[in-house]
């Protein structure tokens, strides 16, 4: 077997992890299966290159973020501070991962990690810190602030909206990977996801709650 460099081995392990974690789950997938699929003889290859399962997952998500940030950044720079426009930017960037099997697998992985974004605590996950994604989240929250939504509801709704978008994308990705026929074509799916997510964020605040400012 030809020897490979450290970067080449890391990339093989990342690609293998994408397949295993998409099929078996981030927490259910076995690292030994990742190592075997990557063609590595050393059973500790993941620990050697990434330190832990979490380090490998972060590496998978960092690559996924690099791809989608490249799509998101110019869209965000041109977007007005209008909630449907900002949600359109989010959905458009996420949907770019539907173009390839690799992206589809990563969508299935990232939906399992949606609550680790750090939105609720305003402390970004390391893979999101300083990225256009985090800037987008801040702009969406600012729009909700301008609409008069109290902070607890703003943060919970934004976290829920990200979960909804992630789950919808992951389900679409699953259908593509399985060769299933979706109920709607992709343009309708994306337009409806924008409308649904915007409606969720703009739902009237609960009436008669004295604990909300």
């Amino acid at each position: 077997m030809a020897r490979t460099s450290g970067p080449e081995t890391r990339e093989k392990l990342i690609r293998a992890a994408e397949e295993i974690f998409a099929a078996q789950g981030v927490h259910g997938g076995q690292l030994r299966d990742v190592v075997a699929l990557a063609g590595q003889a050393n059973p500790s290859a993941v620990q050697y290159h990434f330190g832990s399962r979490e380090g490998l997952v972060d590496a998978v998500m960092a690559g996924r973020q690099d791809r989608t940030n490249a799509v998101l950044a110019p869209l965000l720079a041109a977007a007005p501070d209008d909630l449907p426009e900002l949600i359109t930017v989010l959905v458009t960037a996420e949907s770019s991962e539907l173009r390839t099997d690799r992206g589809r697998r990563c969508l299935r992985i990232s939906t399992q990690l949606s609550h680790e974004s750090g939105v609720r605590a305003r402390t970004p996950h390391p893979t999101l810190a300083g990225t256009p994604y985090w800037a987008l989240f801040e702009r969406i929250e600012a729009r909700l602030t301008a609409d008069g939504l109290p902070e607890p509801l703003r943060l919970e709704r934004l976290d829920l909206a990200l979960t909804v978008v992630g789950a919808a994308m992951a389900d679409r990705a699953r259908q593509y990977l399985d060769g299933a026929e979706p109920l709607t074509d992709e343009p309708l799916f994306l337009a409806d996801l924008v409308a649904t997510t915007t409606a969720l964020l703009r739902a009237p605040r609960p009436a008669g709650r004295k604990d909300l400012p």
Side-chain angles (χ1 to χ4, degrees):
M1 179 181 297
R3 297 187 63 184
T4 58
S5 68
E8 288 174 319
T9 300
R10 280 177 58 90
E11 182 63 18
K12 287 180 179 179
L13 288 166
I14 288 170
R15 291 294 191 112
E18 290 169 355
E19 292 194 38
I20 296 298
F21 292 160
Q24 301 177 16
V26 170
H27 302 293
Q30 299 296 310
L31 294 185
R32 63 174 177 269
D33 293 338
V34 172
V35 171
L37 185 60
Q40 302 304 302
N42 183 355
S44 300
V46 168
Q47 286 75 13
Y48 177 80
H49 287 280
F50 302 98
S52 64
R53 175 187 295 267
E54 291 72 22
L56 177 57
V57 172
D58 285 350
V60 169
M61 288 297 95
R64 177 254 207 273
Q65 291 296 338
D66 285 345
R67 294 191 299 273
T68 47
N69 279 330
V71 176
L72 189 151
L75 295 175
L76 184 60
D81 284 321
D82 174 76
L83 188 59
E85 292 288 345
L86 293 172
I87 299 303
T88 297
V89 168
L90 172 64
V91 168
T92 301
E94 291 291 284
S95 68
S96 66
E97 286 287 88
L98 290 172
R99 304 281 70 78
T100 66
D101 281 353
R102 183 180 194 184
R104 294 164 186 168
R105 293 187 188 104
C106 285
L107 286 172
R108 296 198 65 189
I109 295 168
S110 58
T111 192
Q112 303 171 54
L113 307 170
S114 61
H115 288 299
E116 298 181 13
S117 66
V119 163
R120 292 185 182 220
R122 289 203 180 90
T123 304
H125 187 276
T127 59
L128 291 172
T131 66
Y133 260 98
W134 195 257
L136 173 59
F137 300 161
E138 291 178 328
R139 286 181 62 180
I140 293 172
E141 191 200 345
R143 183 64 263 168
L144 297 177
T145 302
D147 289 346
L149 201 64
E151 180 181 51
L153 287 181
R154 288 199 307 269
L155 296 178
E156 286 201 339
R157 284 191 186 184
L158 179 52
D159 190 61
L160 179 58
L162 297 177
T163 300
V164 168
V165 171
M169 290 291 177
D171 184 61
R172 193 79 175 195
R174 177 192 59 78
Q175 293 176 69
Y176 288 173
L177 288 167
D178 292 347
E181 184 68 27
L183 290 173
T184 58
D185 62 26
E186 194 168 299
L188 177 57
F189 162 71
L190 298 177
D192 188 60
L193 184 56
V194 169
T196 301
T197 305
T198 302
L200 183 160
L201 290 169
R202 281 191 167 161
R205 56 183 287 177
R209 289 295 303 272
K210 296 180 180 180
D211 56 334
L212 291 177

